[in-house]
Amino acid sequence: MKTNTYLLILLIIFSVCNSVHAQTQKLVFSPHWLPQAQFAGYYVAEEMGFYKEAGIEVEIIHPSASVNAMHFLQSGQADIISLFLVTGLDNRFKGVDLVNIAQFSHNSALMFVAKKTSNINTLKDFKGKKVGIWRSGFEEIPKALIHEHQLEVNWVPILSTVNLFLLGGIDVMTVMWYNEYNQIYLSGLNEDELSTFFLSDYGYNIPEDGMYVLQNTLNEKNDALKAFVEASIKGWQYAAKNRDFTLDVVIERMRQANIPSNKAHQKWMLEKVLELQEPIGQTNLEKPDFDQVHAILKGQYPQSPDIIFEDFFRPIR
Amino acid sequence: MKRNTLSFRIISNILLITSTLFVLIFSVYYFYARNTISEASKVNAIQLAENIEARIEQELQPLEKVPQMLSATIEMGFFHEDSLIHVLQTIVRNNPSIYGACMAFEPHFFEQKGLYFMPYAYRGADGIFSAYLGSETYEYYYMDWYQIPAMLRTPYWSEPYYDEGGGNILMATYAVPVYSNRDNKRVFAGIATIDISLDKLTDLVSSVSIFETGYAFMITRNGVAVTHPDKSMIMNKSIFSNAEEWGAPLLRQIGRELQRGESKFRSYNLPGKEKRWIYYTNLISTRWSIAVVYPEREMYASLTKMNRLVILLFIAGLLLLVLLITKIVNRLASPLVKFAEAARLIAKGNFETPLPEVKTKDEMLELRQAFVQMQEQLTLYIENLKKTTSEKEKIESELRIASDIQLSMIPHSFPPFPDLPQVDLYASLKSAKEVGGDLYDFFLIDSDKFCFAIGDVSGKGVPASLFMAVTRTLLRSIADRHKTPDAIMKVLNKSLALNNDSCMFVTFFLGILNLKNGELFYSNAGHNPPLYIARNGETNFMEMGTSIPLGLNEEYDYSCMSAQMMPGDKIFAYTDGVSEAENATHEFYGEKRLQACIAKNYEANTREIIDLMTHEIDQYVDGYMQSDDITMLTLVYNGQKGKN
């Protein structure tokens, strides 16, 4: 009788564990930067329990100054990360076996900004000027645009802040519309004091945030990844409809991560990021966009074979 | 207090005037106090801000000298690059305010040192530590603290940041470009920095308080809060992000002014918040800004408190004033009530009513004296009045008796001689006063001669009535002896004129009718001529000639006139009370109206004529008080046939 009881208990425990294992698969997701409204949809999906509803357990981790999201992916600390398209493809050129499973952003937020006082009104005025550009990630696209226009500019690599631009150390700054552009505004420069050059207006409307996994992971956790993407879309849709709530969630995440935060900036960011994703729920990467980025990057990797679109973009939905 | 009392009126007037004065004075005081406080607060705020500014500069400026000196000594070639780490350690050790110091060189500045060369010394938990920094993950020359002064070639105070150790210490870095001589050329070598904790500075700013909740805050060049009473603001929010969140463009404007290095004292209103005053100024070294803010309400809080006190005091004072005035007025006016009570009693006839005692020598005393005098006068007057009234009553009763006597002298039973059908007569006398001066009389002298008379004594009242009585008495006695009217008149005149010191007189008409043949002899002494009413209705005033009244001239001879009366003829005799009856407009009734009235009613009998006339005159005067006696007499001669 006693032996039977133990057996029964063991059986129950085993079956419960098994079913949990079968039903809720764990995924670790890392966005490609620190907590901010750029990733609001994922926080909302987690906060609202959309991931749990989809039968997955998602842990969101964030990169730091010393460790980036690519590192998380390669080291296996993260199953899925978000990256700019250009960064994703760049890493593919570098030999990382990653694939894009969903393209969330459909537009470019990249832009140049200059103070009107420096008399820069057209792209041609960039000639001979000091142009700030981030060291990490996606400098290829702005550089491609400037190169296309055959302008000699003095590129100044920047780590992260807009202070050098504010203090007049550089004439032009490469910024994200949803982020640094507003940081400049929130540092006291008025919009009418700035000249802006959206890369999308010059034929470089290259989509940005997309979801990347290693080929292996795609094979192993296909269902979970699909559930993650679906639930994330749901998160973004909910965020679009409940912006105040979303902002509170974002600010709280930033506070927990000890990152300076203010509502004014995050509100701006949320609005712009949502605009860039329009239509929300469409996660296809368009081939022409891929081709354009491929062409831009190809120059840096003349020895590498071409990357096939269908190998790179493996839509999960 | 009753609304119609003297005290109420006095107090309400005083209250009104006092309150108006108070409002006036209070307004002026309030206006000036407000201005003074506003001015004093402004000075206070400016002083506070400038005091902090000075103290912060006092802290920072000596620290700025450290990397500047380091830069200068490096440029002069004092130190070998390998000794720098010791120099930096010494710097940190000797400057408690400095948490870390570094000398970061340009990439590949020393060939043997490679890409990165950045000796760094820092204050740790248990001493001074040092390290060489710079790696693929820490490319220091892209950091703001390096890149900005390197590109701008000027010293640079970084934006504040939390220390890497996670100690939650707010730090800032001061970075100075360093040059070196190479091949006799001055080349840019790198950046020398010190890291300092801002705790001391933020404590300094946070310690400032002005009024109840007024405070000071410090913001960076980018407008980010370094200190703020609301801790969630620090390093999170900027003056510009708050301007966005609160929808307050004014805040953004202030932020931009701060960035331009402007100092200003001004007020501002944020949406949904109370009005505040702010003074802001710039730190020369860091170009951070310091501001002192306080709500306007609090600036005036002391004034509001004072106002409350003043108003309370005023109300209390007013109440006290009301109480005192009520007491004073009541004390002063209380005799008035007693006087009023006394006056009521006096009015009821109690002249001995005791008067309230007045101890003051003022108007109240005068009033009392007036009352005393009034009481005395009233007593006296009433006594006199009583006396005169009783005398008057006596006289009046005597006069009534006199009147009765007078009237009893005159025959007043009609028809007078029922046995004498030849003649009929009716007469009436209505005195204007108790006793009158009119008279009429008739009597038989002998069996055939019928004497009748009417008269009017000058003046009225008792003297006239006495004179009338005398006249009547004399007439009767004289008529016994003399048988013609002129003779009777002459004697009567003589008798009346004799010893007539008071110069009284009487108009008089006397007729003697022969009952047998209707022959009428008559004589007149200044009396109104009677109307002769012929039986055919012809009515005429009788012929009289001129004559004077009786009693004026004792020698006067009165003429005798005659007329033949036919049976049915009438004579209507009257005194001037009839013809001179006055209505309200002082118009006399007049002889014409008299004649017309009689003519119209010539067929009426003796009594009817007089009744008609009486009625006619009553109607004419319409209640207007008559001053003269009204006497009428009608006589009709019926002839001998009446005898049968």
Side-chain angles (χ1 to χ4, degrees), chain A residues 130 135 156-159 161 163-164 166-170 185-190 193 259-264, chain B residues 137 139 142-144 147-148 151-152 156 159 221-222 232 235-238 240-242 244-245 252 256 259 287:
Chain A
K130 292 179 199 157
R135 283 207 66 257
V156 177
I158 304 280
L159 212 53
T161 77
N163 289 331
L164 188 61
L166 291 172
L167 289 169
I170 46 176
Y185 172 76
L186 289 182
S187 297
L189 277 168
N190 288 351
E193 292 168 330
I259 300 169
S261 64
N262 71 66
K263 233 178 184 170
Chain B
T137 54
E139 295 173 307
Y142 293 131
M143 307 297 281
D144 273 359
Q147 201 173 29
I148 292 172
M151 290 200 74
L152 297 175
Y156 167 74
E159 288 283 299
R221 217 174 339 207
N222 288 354
S232 73
M235 295 302 287
N236 278 331
K237 302 195 177 187
S238 74
F240 301 110
S241 73
N242 282 344
E244 292 301 305
E245 273 184 43
R252 187 175 172 85
R256 284 166 61 85
Q259 286 180 330
R287 288 186 53 204

Short mmCIF file of all heavy atoms in Angstrom, two decimals, chain A residues 130 135 156-159 161 163-164 166-170 185-190 193 259-264, chain B residues 137 139 142-144 147-148 151-152 156 159 221-222 232 235-238 240-242 244-245 252 256 259 287:
data_model
loop_
_atom_site.label_atom_id
_atom_site.label_comp_id
_atom_site.label_asym_id
_atom_site.label_seq_id
_atom_site.Cartn_x
_atom_site.Cartn_y
_atom_site.Cartn_z
N LYS A 130 32.25 68.62 -39.49
CA LYS A 130 32.41 67.50 -38.55
C LYS A 130 31.03 66.89 -38.31
O LYS A 130 30.11 67.58 -37.89
CB LYS A 130 32.95 68.02 -37.22
CG LYS A 130 34.38 68.52 -37.31
CD LYS A 130 34.82 69.04 -35.94
CE LYS A 130 36.03 69.94 -36.08
NZ LYS A 130 36.15 70.85 -34.96
N ARG A 135 29.55 55.03 -32.73
CA ARG A 135 30.57 54.02 -32.98
C ARG A 135 29.92 52.65 -33.13
O ARG A 135 30.34 51.84 -33.91
CB ARG A 135 31.56 53.97 -31.82
CG ARG A 135 32.52 55.11 -31.86
CD ARG A 135 33.81 54.73 -31.19
NE ARG A 135 34.51 53.67 -31.91
CZ ARG A 135 34.55 52.40 -31.55
NH1 ARG A 135 33.91 51.99 -30.49
NH2 ARG A 135 35.24 51.53 -32.26
N VAL A 156 33.10 62.06 -36.94
CA VAL A 156 33.57 62.06 -35.56
C VAL A 156 32.79 60.97 -34.81
O VAL A 156 31.58 61.10 -34.62
CB VAL A 156 33.34 63.42 -34.88
CG1 VAL A 156 33.76 63.36 -33.42
CG2 VAL A 156 34.10 64.51 -35.61
N PRO A 157 33.49 59.91 -34.41
CA PRO A 157 32.77 58.83 -33.71
C PRO A 157 32.32 59.31 -32.33
O PRO A 157 33.07 59.96 -31.62
CB PRO A 157 33.81 57.72 -33.58
CG PRO A 157 34.98 58.15 -34.40
CD PRO A 157 34.92 59.61 -34.52
N ILE A 158 31.11 58.97 -31.98
CA ILE A 158 30.52 59.39 -30.71
C ILE A 158 30.07 58.14 -29.99
O ILE A 158 29.57 57.20 -30.61
CB ILE A 158 29.28 60.29 -30.95
CG1 ILE A 158 29.62 61.49 -31.82
CG2 ILE A 158 28.64 60.70 -29.63
CD1 ILE A 158 30.27 62.61 -31.12
N LEU A 159 30.20 58.16 -28.66
CA LEU A 159 29.79 56.99 -27.91
C LEU A 159 28.27 56.98 -27.69
O LEU A 159 27.58 56.07 -28.09
CB LEU A 159 30.52 56.94 -26.57
CG LEU A 159 30.80 55.54 -26.06
CD1 LEU A 159 31.51 54.70 -27.11
CD2 LEU A 159 31.62 55.61 -24.79
N THR A 161 26.26 60.31 -26.10
CA THR A 161 25.50 61.51 -25.75
C THR A 161 25.48 62.54 -26.88
O THR A 161 26.20 62.40 -27.87
CB THR A 161 26.06 62.20 -24.48
OG1 THR A 161 27.25 62.91 -24.85
CG2 THR A 161 26.37 61.19 -23.41
N ASN A 163 26.09 65.71 -26.10
CA ASN A 163 26.73 66.88 -25.49
C ASN A 163 27.73 67.57 -26.41
O ASN A 163 27.79 68.80 -26.43
CB ASN A 163 27.43 66.48 -24.19
CG ASN A 163 26.42 66.15 -23.10
OD1 ASN A 163 25.32 66.70 -23.11
ND2 ASN A 163 26.76 65.25 -22.20
N LEU A 164 28.48 66.76 -27.15
CA LEU A 164 29.48 67.36 -28.03
C LEU A 164 28.80 68.24 -29.09
O LEU A 164 29.27 69.32 -29.40
CB LEU A 164 30.31 66.25 -28.70
CG LEU A 164 31.51 66.72 -29.52
CD1 LEU A 164 32.52 67.46 -28.65
CD2 LEU A 164 32.20 65.53 -30.21
N LEU A 166 25.80 69.64 -28.69
CA LEU A 166 25.21 70.80 -28.00
C LEU A 166 26.26 71.88 -27.75
O LEU A 166 25.98 73.07 -27.87
CB LEU A 166 24.60 70.36 -26.65
CG LEU A 166 23.35 69.49 -26.72
CD1 LEU A 166 22.99 68.99 -25.34
CD2 LEU A 166 22.18 70.25 -27.34
N LEU A 167 27.48 71.44 -27.44
CA LEU A 167 28.52 72.41 -27.11
C LEU A 167 29.26 72.92 -28.34
O LEU A 167 30.18 73.71 -28.24
CB LEU A 167 29.52 71.78 -26.14
CG LEU A 167 28.96 71.56 -24.74
CD1 LEU A 167 29.89 70.69 -23.92
CD2 LEU A 167 28.74 72.89 -24.04
N GLY A 168 28.84 72.45 -29.50
CA GLY A 168 29.42 72.98 -30.74
C GLY A 168 30.70 72.28 -31.17
O GLY A 168 31.41 72.78 -32.03
N GLY A 169 31.03 71.12 -30.57
CA GLY A 169 32.23 70.38 -30.96
C GLY A 169 32.10 69.76 -32.34
O GLY A 169 33.09 69.50 -33.02
N ILE A 170 30.88 69.48 -32.76
CA ILE A 170 30.62 68.95 -34.11
C ILE A 170 29.49 69.77 -34.73
O ILE A 170 28.70 70.39 -34.03
CB ILE A 170 30.22 67.45 -34.08
CG1 ILE A 170 29.17 67.20 -32.99
CG2 ILE A 170 31.43 66.58 -33.87
CD1 ILE A 170 28.65 65.79 -32.96
N TYR A 185 16.22 68.49 -28.23
CA TYR A 185 15.12 69.43 -27.96
C TYR A 185 14.97 69.63 -26.44
O TYR A 185 14.80 70.75 -25.98
CB TYR A 185 13.82 68.89 -28.56
CG TYR A 185 12.60 69.69 -28.17
CD1 TYR A 185 12.34 70.92 -28.78
CD2 TYR A 185 11.71 69.23 -27.20
CE1 TYR A 185 11.24 71.66 -28.42
CE2 TYR A 185 10.61 69.96 -26.84
CZ TYR A 185 10.37 71.18 -27.45
OH TYR A 185 9.28 71.91 -27.09
N LEU A 186 15.09 68.53 -25.70
CA LEU A 186 14.92 68.61 -24.24
C LEU A 186 16.18 69.14 -23.56
O LEU A 186 16.26 69.20 -22.33
CB LEU A 186 14.54 67.24 -23.66
CG LEU A 186 13.12 66.77 -23.99
CD1 LEU A 186 12.84 65.43 -23.33
CD2 LEU A 186 12.06 67.79 -23.56
N SER A 187 17.17 69.50 -24.35
CA SER A 187 18.33 70.18 -23.76
C SER A 187 18.26 71.67 -24.05
O SER A 187 19.21 72.40 -23.79
CB SER A 187 19.62 69.60 -24.32
OG SER A 187 19.72 68.24 -23.95
N GLY A 188 17.16 72.10 -24.62
CA GLY A 188 16.94 73.54 -24.74
C GLY A 188 16.99 74.10 -26.14
O GLY A 188 16.78 75.29 -26.34
N LEU A 189 17.31 73.26 -27.13
CA LEU A 189 17.32 73.79 -28.50
C LEU A 189 15.92 73.64 -29.09
O LEU A 189 15.32 72.57 -29.02
CB LEU A 189 18.32 73.02 -29.36
CG LEU A 189 19.77 73.48 -29.23
CD1 LEU A 189 20.71 72.47 -29.88
CD2 LEU A 189 19.97 74.83 -29.90
N ASN A 190 15.42 74.71 -29.68
CA ASN A 190 14.08 74.65 -30.25
C ASN A 190 14.13 74.02 -31.64
O ASN A 190 15.15 74.07 -32.31
CB ASN A 190 13.49 76.06 -30.34
CG ASN A 190 13.12 76.58 -28.98
OD1 ASN A 190 13.15 75.84 -27.99
ND2 ASN A 190 12.79 77.86 -28.90
N GLU A 193 15.28 75.92 -34.51
CA GLU A 193 16.70 76.28 -34.53
C GLU A 193 17.55 75.17 -35.15
O GLU A 193 18.76 75.27 -35.18
CB GLU A 193 17.20 76.55 -33.10
CG GLU A 193 16.58 77.81 -32.48
CD GLU A 193 16.85 77.93 -30.99
OE1 GLU A 193 16.97 76.90 -30.30
OE2 GLU A 193 16.92 79.07 -30.51
N ILE A 259 18.13 53.88 -14.56
CA ILE A 259 18.43 54.70 -15.74
C ILE A 259 17.64 55.99 -15.64
O ILE A 259 16.45 55.95 -15.31
CB ILE A 259 18.03 53.95 -17.03
CG1 ILE A 259 18.80 52.64 -17.12
CG2 ILE A 259 18.28 54.82 -18.26
CD1 ILE A 259 18.29 51.73 -18.20
N PRO A 260 18.29 57.10 -15.88
CA PRO A 260 17.54 58.37 -15.86
C PRO A 260 16.33 58.30 -16.78
O PRO A 260 16.44 57.79 -17.91
CB PRO A 260 18.55 59.40 -16.37
CG PRO A 260 19.88 58.78 -16.12
CD PRO A 260 19.69 57.30 -16.21
N SER A 261 15.22 58.75 -16.27
CA SER A 261 14.01 58.66 -17.10
C SER A 261 13.16 59.90 -16.89
O SER A 261 13.12 60.45 -15.80
CB SER A 261 13.19 57.43 -16.68
OG SER A 261 12.76 57.61 -15.35
N ASN A 262 12.53 60.29 -17.94
CA ASN A 262 11.46 61.27 -17.76
C ASN A 262 10.37 61.03 -18.77
O ASN A 262 10.60 60.57 -19.88
CB ASN A 262 11.99 62.70 -17.78
CG ASN A 262 12.43 63.14 -19.14
OD1 ASN A 262 11.63 63.26 -20.05
ND2 ASN A 262 13.73 63.37 -19.29
N LYS A 263 9.19 61.31 -18.32
CA LYS A 263 7.99 60.97 -19.08
C LYS A 263 7.95 61.70 -20.43
O LYS A 263 7.52 61.13 -21.43
CB LYS A 263 6.75 61.35 -18.27
CG LYS A 263 5.79 60.18 -18.13
CD LYS A 263 4.62 60.56 -17.29
CE LYS A 263 3.73 59.33 -17.09
NZ LYS A 263 2.69 59.54 -16.10
N ALA A 264 8.39 62.96 -20.41
CA ALA A 264 8.29 63.75 -21.63
C ALA A 264 9.04 63.04 -22.76
O ALA A 264 8.54 62.92 -23.88
CB ALA A 264 8.88 65.13 -21.39
N THR B 137 36.76 47.58 -24.61
CA THR B 137 35.43 47.90 -24.07
C THR B 137 35.44 49.25 -23.36
O THR B 137 34.39 49.71 -22.91
CB THR B 137 34.98 46.83 -23.07
OG1 THR B 137 36.01 46.67 -22.08
CG2 THR B 137 34.68 45.52 -23.75
N GLU B 139 36.96 52.51 -24.55
CA GLU B 139 37.71 53.41 -25.43
C GLU B 139 37.50 54.82 -24.92
O GLU B 139 36.60 55.51 -25.36
CB GLU B 139 37.23 53.24 -26.88
CG GLU B 139 37.54 51.87 -27.43
CD GLU B 139 36.93 51.63 -28.79
OE1 GLU B 139 35.71 51.84 -28.94
OE2 GLU B 139 37.65 51.27 -29.72
N TYR B 142 36.54 58.24 -26.58
CA TYR B 142 35.20 58.55 -27.12
C TYR B 142 34.26 59.04 -26.02
O TYR B 142 33.10 59.33 -26.28
CB TYR B 142 34.59 57.32 -27.81
CG TYR B 142 35.31 56.91 -29.06
CD1 TYR B 142 35.69 55.60 -29.28
CD2 TYR B 142 35.60 57.87 -30.04
CE1 TYR B 142 36.35 55.22 -30.42
CE2 TYR B 142 36.27 57.49 -31.20
CZ TYR B 142 36.65 56.17 -31.38
OH TYR B 142 37.30 55.82 -32.52
N MET B 143 34.78 59.06 -24.80
CA MET B 143 33.92 59.51 -23.70
C MET B 143 33.80 61.04 -23.76
O MET B 143 34.72 61.73 -24.18
CB MET B 143 34.50 59.10 -22.34
CG MET B 143 34.84 57.63 -22.20
SD MET B 143 33.40 56.56 -22.32
CE MET B 143 32.71 56.72 -20.71
N ASP B 144 32.64 61.51 -23.28
CA ASP B 144 32.40 62.96 -23.29
C ASP B 144 33.51 63.72 -22.60
O ASP B 144 33.97 64.75 -23.08
CB ASP B 144 31.07 63.28 -22.57
CG ASP B 144 29.89 63.20 -23.53
OD1 ASP B 144 30.13 62.92 -24.73
OD2 ASP B 144 28.74 63.41 -23.09
N GLN B 147 36.41 63.55 -25.08
CA GLN B 147 36.16 64.02 -26.44
C GLN B 147 35.84 65.53 -26.49
O GLN B 147 36.33 66.24 -27.35
CB GLN B 147 34.99 63.22 -27.00
CG GLN B 147 34.94 63.23 -28.51
CD GLN B 147 33.86 62.28 -29.01
OE1 GLN B 147 32.87 62.03 -28.33
NE2 GLN B 147 34.07 61.72 -30.18
N ILE B 148 35.00 65.95 -25.54
CA ILE B 148 34.54 67.35 -25.60
C ILE B 148 35.69 68.34 -25.37
O ILE B 148 35.92 69.20 -26.22
CB ILE B 148 33.34 67.57 -24.66
CG1 ILE B 148 32.12 66.77 -25.20
CG2 ILE B 148 32.98 69.05 -24.54
CD1 ILE B 148 30.92 66.74 -24.29
N MET B 151 38.11 68.18 -28.32
CA MET B 151 37.70 68.82 -29.57
C MET B 151 37.56 70.32 -29.41
O MET B 151 37.85 71.07 -30.33
CB MET B 151 36.38 68.21 -30.05
CG MET B 151 36.59 66.78 -30.53
SD MET B 151 35.28 66.23 -31.61
CE MET B 151 35.66 67.09 -33.11
N LEU B 152 37.09 70.72 -28.23
CA LEU B 152 36.87 72.16 -28.03
C LEU B 152 38.15 72.85 -27.56
O LEU B 152 38.25 74.07 -27.60
CB LEU B 152 35.74 72.39 -27.02
CG LEU B 152 34.36 71.88 -27.44
CD1 LEU B 152 33.36 72.06 -26.30
CD2 LEU B 152 33.85 72.64 -28.67
N TYR B 156 36.58 71.48 -19.39
CA TYR B 156 35.17 71.07 -19.49
C TYR B 156 34.70 70.44 -18.19
O TYR B 156 35.36 69.55 -17.66
CB TYR B 156 35.03 70.07 -20.65
CG TYR B 156 33.72 69.31 -20.70
CD1 TYR B 156 32.55 69.94 -21.11
CD2 TYR B 156 33.67 67.95 -20.36
CE1 TYR B 156 31.35 69.24 -21.16
CE2 TYR B 156 32.48 67.25 -20.43
CZ TYR B 156 31.31 67.90 -20.82
OH TYR B 156 30.14 67.22 -20.89
N GLU B 159 28.68 66.76 -17.46
CA GLU B 159 27.36 66.65 -16.84
C GLU B 159 27.52 65.71 -15.64
O GLU B 159 28.36 64.78 -15.70
CB GLU B 159 26.37 66.04 -17.82
CG GLU B 159 25.94 66.96 -18.95
CD GLU B 159 24.93 68.01 -18.51
OE1 GLU B 159 23.83 67.63 -18.07
OE2 GLU B 159 25.24 69.22 -18.60
N ARG B 221 23.98 72.32 -17.32
CA ARG B 221 23.93 73.04 -18.59
C ARG B 221 22.79 72.54 -19.48
O ARG B 221 22.16 73.30 -20.19
CB ARG B 221 25.26 72.77 -19.31
CG ARG B 221 25.79 73.92 -20.06
CD ARG B 221 27.16 73.60 -20.62
NE ARG B 221 27.84 72.49 -19.92
CZ ARG B 221 29.15 72.38 -19.86
NH1 ARG B 221 29.90 73.31 -20.38
NH2 ARG B 221 29.71 71.34 -19.27
N ASN B 222 22.51 71.24 -19.43
CA ASN B 222 21.44 70.66 -20.24
C ASN B 222 20.07 70.81 -19.58
O ASN B 222 19.08 70.33 -20.10
CB ASN B 222 21.70 69.18 -20.52
CG ASN B 222 22.84 69.00 -21.50
OD1 ASN B 222 23.35 69.98 -22.04
ND2 ASN B 222 23.23 67.76 -21.71
N SER B 232 12.89 62.42 -7.01
CA SER B 232 12.69 61.70 -8.27
C SER B 232 13.08 62.55 -9.47
O SER B 232 13.23 62.06 -10.58
CB SER B 232 11.24 61.24 -8.39
OG SER B 232 10.42 62.36 -8.66
N MET B 235 18.56 64.01 -11.69
CA MET B 235 19.19 63.27 -12.79
C MET B 235 18.18 62.60 -13.72
O MET B 235 18.56 61.94 -14.68
CB MET B 235 20.19 62.22 -12.25
CG MET B 235 21.38 62.84 -11.55
SD MET B 235 22.31 63.96 -12.61
CE MET B 235 23.11 62.80 -13.69
N ASN B 236 16.92 62.72 -13.42
CA ASN B 236 15.91 62.13 -14.29
C ASN B 236 15.30 63.18 -15.19
O ASN B 236 15.15 62.99 -16.38
CB ASN B 236 14.79 61.49 -13.46
CG ASN B 236 15.14 60.12 -12.99
OD1 ASN B 236 15.90 59.43 -13.65
ND2 ASN B 236 14.61 59.73 -11.85
N LYS B 237 14.92 64.27 -14.55
CA LYS B 237 14.14 65.25 -15.30
C LYS B 237 14.93 66.52 -15.48
O LYS B 237 15.78 66.86 -14.67
CB LYS B 237 12.84 65.52 -14.56
CG LYS B 237 12.07 64.23 -14.38
CD LYS B 237 10.65 64.45 -14.00
CE LYS B 237 9.95 63.11 -13.92
NZ LYS B 237 8.54 63.24 -13.72
N SER B 238 14.56 67.21 -16.54
CA SER B 238 15.21 68.49 -16.78
C SER B 238 14.13 69.56 -16.81
O SER B 238 12.93 69.26 -16.86
CB SER B 238 15.95 68.47 -18.12
OG SER B 238 15.03 68.54 -19.18
N PHE B 240 13.46 71.28 -19.12
CA PHE B 240 12.79 71.20 -20.42
C PHE B 240 11.79 70.04 -20.47
O PHE B 240 10.73 70.16 -21.06
CB PHE B 240 13.83 71.06 -21.54
CG PHE B 240 14.80 72.21 -21.57
CD1 PHE B 240 16.13 72.04 -21.20
CD2 PHE B 240 14.38 73.48 -21.92
CE1 PHE B 240 17.02 73.10 -21.20
CE2 PHE B 240 15.26 74.55 -21.93
CZ PHE B 240 16.59 74.36 -21.56
N SER B 241 12.17 68.91 -19.84
CA SER B 241 11.21 67.79 -19.85
C SER B 241 10.01 68.13 -18.98
O SER B 241 8.87 67.79 -19.30
CB SER B 241 11.88 66.49 -19.40
OG SER B 241 12.12 66.50 -18.01
N ASN B 242 10.26 68.85 -17.88
CA ASN B 242 9.13 69.28 -17.04
C ASN B 242 8.25 70.27 -17.79
O ASN B 242 7.03 70.23 -17.66
CB ASN B 242 9.63 69.91 -15.74
CG ASN B 242 10.06 68.85 -14.74
OD1 ASN B 242 9.72 67.68 -14.91
ND2 ASN B 242 10.79 69.25 -13.73
N GLU B 244 7.65 70.20 -20.87
CA GLU B 244 6.80 69.38 -21.75
C GLU B 244 5.71 68.69 -20.95
O GLU B 244 4.53 68.74 -21.30
CB GLU B 244 7.65 68.31 -22.45
CG GLU B 244 8.63 68.85 -23.45
CD GLU B 244 7.98 69.65 -24.57
OE1 GLU B 244 7.08 69.13 -25.23
OE2 GLU B 244 8.38 70.82 -24.77
N GLU B 245 6.13 68.04 -19.85
CA GLU B 245 5.16 67.26 -19.06
C GLU B 245 4.06 68.13 -18.50
O GLU B 245 2.91 67.72 -18.42
CB GLU B 245 5.89 66.55 -17.91
CG GLU B 245 6.46 65.21 -18.30
CD GLU B 245 7.09 64.48 -17.12
OE1 GLU B 245 6.49 64.50 -16.03
OE2 GLU B 245 8.20 63.93 -17.30
N ARG B 252 10.33 76.36 -20.21
CA ARG B 252 11.34 76.14 -21.26
C ARG B 252 12.09 77.44 -21.54
O ARG B 252 13.31 77.45 -21.68
CB ARG B 252 10.64 75.64 -22.53
CG ARG B 252 11.61 75.24 -23.60
CD ARG B 252 10.94 74.64 -24.82
NE ARG B 252 11.93 74.45 -25.86
CZ ARG B 252 12.70 73.38 -25.96
NH1 ARG B 252 12.57 72.41 -25.10
NH2 ARG B 252 13.61 73.29 -26.93
N ARG B 256 16.06 78.20 -21.19
CA ARG B 256 16.90 78.75 -22.26
C ARG B 256 17.64 80.01 -21.80
O ARG B 256 18.79 80.22 -22.15
CB ARG B 256 16.07 79.04 -23.51
CG ARG B 256 15.72 77.76 -24.28
CD ARG B 256 14.63 77.98 -25.30
NE ARG B 256 14.98 78.95 -26.33
CZ ARG B 256 15.66 78.67 -27.44
NH1 ARG B 256 16.07 77.44 -27.66
NH2 ARG B 256 15.94 79.61 -28.32
N GLN B 259 20.53 78.89 -19.83
CA GLN B 259 21.63 78.42 -20.67
C GLN B 259 22.42 79.58 -21.25
O GLN B 259 23.61 79.46 -21.49
CB GLN B 259 21.08 77.54 -21.80
CG GLN B 259 20.64 76.18 -21.30
CD GLN B 259 20.08 75.31 -22.41
OE1 GLN B 259 19.52 75.83 -23.37
NE2 GLN B 259 20.23 74.01 -22.27
N ARG B 287 29.01 76.39 -15.45
CA ARG B 287 27.87 76.88 -16.23
C ARG B 287 26.59 76.12 -15.86
O ARG B 287 25.64 76.04 -16.64
CB ARG B 287 28.14 76.82 -17.74
CG ARG B 287 29.14 77.88 -18.16
CD ARG B 287 29.33 77.95 -19.64
NE ARG B 287 28.06 78.10 -20.34
CZ ARG B 287 27.87 77.73 -21.60
NH1 ARG B 287 28.87 77.19 -22.28
NH2 ARG B 287 26.71 77.90 -22.17
#
